Amino acid sequence: MTAAKLTLDGREFELPAESGSEGEKIIDITRLRAESMAIALDPGFGNTGACRSAITFIDGERGILRYRGYPIEELARGARFTEVCFLLIYGHLPTRDELDQFREKLTYHTLIHEDMKKFFEGYPPSAHPMAILSAMVSALSTYYPVDNADENVDLNIIRLLAKAKTIAAFAYKKSIGQAFQYPRNALSYTGNFLHMMFSLNTEPYEVPQVLDDALNLLLVLHADHEQNCSTSTVRLVGSSDANLFASVAAGICALWGPLHGGANQRVIEMLQLIHADGGNHRKYVDMAKDKASGFRLMGFGHRVYKNFDPRAKLLKEAADQVLHQLGVDDPLLDLAKHLEEVALKDDYFLEKKLYPNVDFYSGILYRAMGIPTDMFTVMFALGRLPGWLAHWKELRQDPERRIGRPRQLYTGETERAFVPLAKR
Ligand code: CMC
């Protein structure tokens, strides 16, 4: 590729151009300020590449998502979540031995320190589980070495991946006032989570295979999504040399927002609202088109996907199959489909290229599994965890790593003299 040319105040600057392994073009502006004294302005970072990354590729125009080169459709069909975690974090699909060892390590690090159980007692029963998850993940840094030495990082990655689901399940048990259920070593990653969520002291929960598989699919589909808001947060915090637990805790907070992972909770609340209002989905499609209403169709639209979100397509099919297998008839699934149908024929949504995203159908599946609405974003966090870990690790190993420190266009007052209080 030839260099880009920029003319500013009559001077010409050359900006090197490059392309990625999938042919994406970039203009390298790292020397822009040093040479021209100008900076690039890009609110929302829609045109800014913050790093080079070899983890996930997305082509939003063609609805393509690949982890380490493997199409999401193939991983969704054939991979277990633990394999995908390994793939994202270590860069290649595990051999049988590697996977067995990885799973064993995850199994034996699932427990949290007994003292940490006391932390749960301090939260009110109404506490949102995302608040608990972020606080508890941050608190893990008080129990383990966090000096970012390689051997500690490797183990902390395993610890976090293993313990996050225990923390999530304990947060749920706390919210409903039930006894915590300890993990069982004989169970799979997904099976163990469902056991910790739904077993009772008096009655163990036998995890139905259909739910184990549905959870596996959900986690695989959420596992990474390159430089999204929460992953960028993890990288930004990590760029200051903050420890892994602190960086991921920040990512969890970023994910919580309703424009990001928090949308899955909002989708179900929206569908419930429309259902309770007589199911008139057209009224809500019209409201979403009217900016003055302040209402958006939750689970619709994406910064990158401008054609379709392949994850939404897979989840819609899965929702149909799983509900059928469970014999569940959820009116919200029909409502979601009607809403999608109307929106996808509407000029507003067509012109703005707004399609259902991953959050649109995931909640229907979580509901069928018996997971309460305010746990949905926690489920997203459990799925996204390997992505955060892979990006944090990649950042640590990046020779170009510098502390993340954007600039700004200052639009405030120019210099003025301070006026003492008595004279104001
Ligand atoms: N309903 C109605 N209008 C919308 C919607 C929507 N869901 N999403 C975007 N628009 C409109 C928006 O008003 C804007 O119109 P205009 O150009 O006239 O100002 C245009 O479409 C572009 O929207 P934007 O907000 O500038 O786009 P963005 O890339 O900054 O935001 C988004 C992307 C996902 C935050 C946004 O589409 C949205 O708020 N969607 C609803 C929340 C949601 O489902 N979030 C989950 C995202 S996928 C999972 C994840 O990554 O977390």
Side-chain angles (χ1 to χ4, degrees):
M1 271 174 73
T2 51
K5 287 205 166 67
L6 171 76
T7 308
L8 186 67
D9 294 336
R11 282 179 63 207
E12 198 168 85
F13 302 91
E14 214 167 73
L15 303 169
E18 226 183 281
S19 42
S21 54
E22 290 283 352
E24 303 158 285
K25 295 178 199 160
I26 65 115
I27 298 168
D28 182 347
I29 59 163
T30 44
R31 301 275 319 144
L32 180 63
R33 188 169 187 281
E35 289 173 14
S36 71
M37 288 308 286
I39 58 159
L41 183 67
D42 185 19
F45 309 121
N47 299 286
T48 299
C51 60
R52 290 164 213 270
S53 180
I55 301 171
T56 288
F57 172 70
I58 303 177
D59 180 331
E61 273 67 38
R62 293 191 291 155
I64 290 174
L65 169 60
R66 294 186 205 129
Y67 300 159
R68 302 277 188 191
Y70 297 102
I72 193 66
E73 293 79 5
E74 290 179 26
L75 293 169
R77 230 184 348 261
R80 295 303 295 179
F81 179 60
T82 40
E83 276 179 280
V84 170
C85 291
F86 188 101
L87 171 69
L88 288 168
I89 296 167
Y90 305 111
H92 63 275
L93 282 172
T95 61
R96 181 80 259 169
D97 276 356
E98 283 173 328
L99 187 59
D100 287 348
Q101 283 170 28
F102 182 59
R103 282 181 172 154
E104 183 168 298
K105 281 196 245 171
L106 290 181
T107 302
Y108 286 96
H109 284 280
T110 304
L111 282 170
I112 57 169
H113 195 289
E114 278 296 292
D115 288 354
M116 280 192 89
K117 274 172 46 190
K118 297 196 192 91
F119 294 7
F120 289 94
E121 289 165 21
Y123 297 110
S126 59
H128 196 286
M130 282 298 274
I132 299 182
L133 184 67
S134 60
M136 297 295 277
V137 166
S138 183
L140 286 173
S141 57
T142 63
Y143 285 84
Y144 303 105
V146 286
D147 59 8
N148 288 345
D150 286 350
E151 61 279 13
N152 292 333
V153 164
D154 286 346
L155 197 49
N156 284 345
I157 284 176
I158 297 287
R159 286 182 176 123
L160 188 44
L161 207 45
K163 294 178 200 307
K165 64 181 182 314
T166 312
I167 294 172
F170 281 17
Y172 170 60
K173 287 295 197 192
K174 156 76 192 176
S175 74
I176 53 169
Q178 284 182 3
F180 298 145
Q181 297 298 314
Y182 280 72
R184 296 212 320 248
N185 287 354
L187 294 176
S188 68
Y189 190 94
T190 39
N192 226 338
F193 173 71
L194 292 171
H195 145 70
M196 289 190 279
M197 286 284 289
F198 299 124
S199 282
L200 298 169
N201 282 351
T202 47
E203 203 178 335
Y205 174 77
E206 293 305 328
V207 182
Q209 193 58 44
V210 53
L211 295 193
D212 194 318
D213 291 345
L215 177 58
N216 186 69
L217 174 72
L218 281 154
L219 297 180
V220 167
L221 294 183
H222 284 85
D224 192 40
H225 217 233
E226 48 114 311
Q227 311 305 321
N228 57 85
C229 177
S230 56
T231 305
S232 297
T233 301
V234 170
R235 277 184 172 265
L236 190 61
V237 175
S239 78
S240 74
D241 273 353
N243 71 67
L244 180 73
F245 302 117
S247 307
V248 169
I252 294 169
C253 292
L255 184 76
W256 194 1
L259 299 186
H260 191 9
N264 58 11
Q265 173 170 348
R266 297 294 178 96
V267 169
I268 290 295
E269 287 166 356
M270 173 187 79
L271 293 174
Q272 284 168 330
L273 174 79
I274 302 174
H275 186 60
D277 193 20
N280 185 356
H281 48 276
R282 282 172 202 279
K283 171 177 153 189
Y284 288 87
V285 170
D286 288 342
M287 260 167 73
K289 288 156 50 177
D290 172 14
K291 282 213 171 52
S293 74
F295 176 80
R296 277 191 171 198
L297 220 49
M298 298 312 284
F300 259 76
H302 199 277
R303 172 64 61 80
V304 182
Y305 293 119
K306 299 297 170 197
N307 180 330
F308 68 96
D309 179 337
R311 303 165 303 171
K313 208 169 155 192
L314 291 162
L315 284 175
K316 185 181 179 185
E317 286 164 19
D320 267 332
Q321 285 165 12
V322 172
L323 267 63
H324 177 71
Q325 283 179 52
L326 292 174
V328 171
D329 184 16
D330 188 346
L332 296 194
L333 177 58
D334 293 333
L335 187 54
K337 285 186 192 166
H338 290 315
L339 203 57
E340 179 188 353
E341 207 179 297
V342 171
L344 292 187
K345 285 190 192 133
D346 193 290
D347 284 348
Y348 174 93
F349 288 85
L350 288 172
E351 273 160 26
K352 295 188 191 299
K353 301 189 171 166
L354 302 170
Y355 296 87
N357 58 49
V358 69
D359 293 319
F360 196 63
Y361 285 105
S362 61
I364 308 264
L365 275 163
Y366 292 135
R367 261 162 71 87
M369 299 168 89
I371 292 172
T373 314
D374 66 0
M375 279 291 286
F376 288 3
T377 313
V378 169
M379 303 306 298
F380 194 150
L382 294 183
R384 184 55 51 87
L385 188 51
W388 291 331
L389 297 172
H391 281 273
W392 193 88
K393 189 165 178 276
E394 184 177 66
L395 169 88
R396 301 277 327 155
Q397 293 162 349
D398 185 351
E400 289 183 331
R401 174 165 66 96
R402 300 171 78 194
I403 186 166
R405 204 299 184 190
R407 287 180 175 263
Q408 63 168 12
L409 179 63
Y410 175 68
T411 57
E413 301 286 347
T414 52
E415 184 176 350
R416 49 185 170 165
F418 171 71
V419 182
L421 191 56
K423 294 197 176 162
R424 266 178 257 156

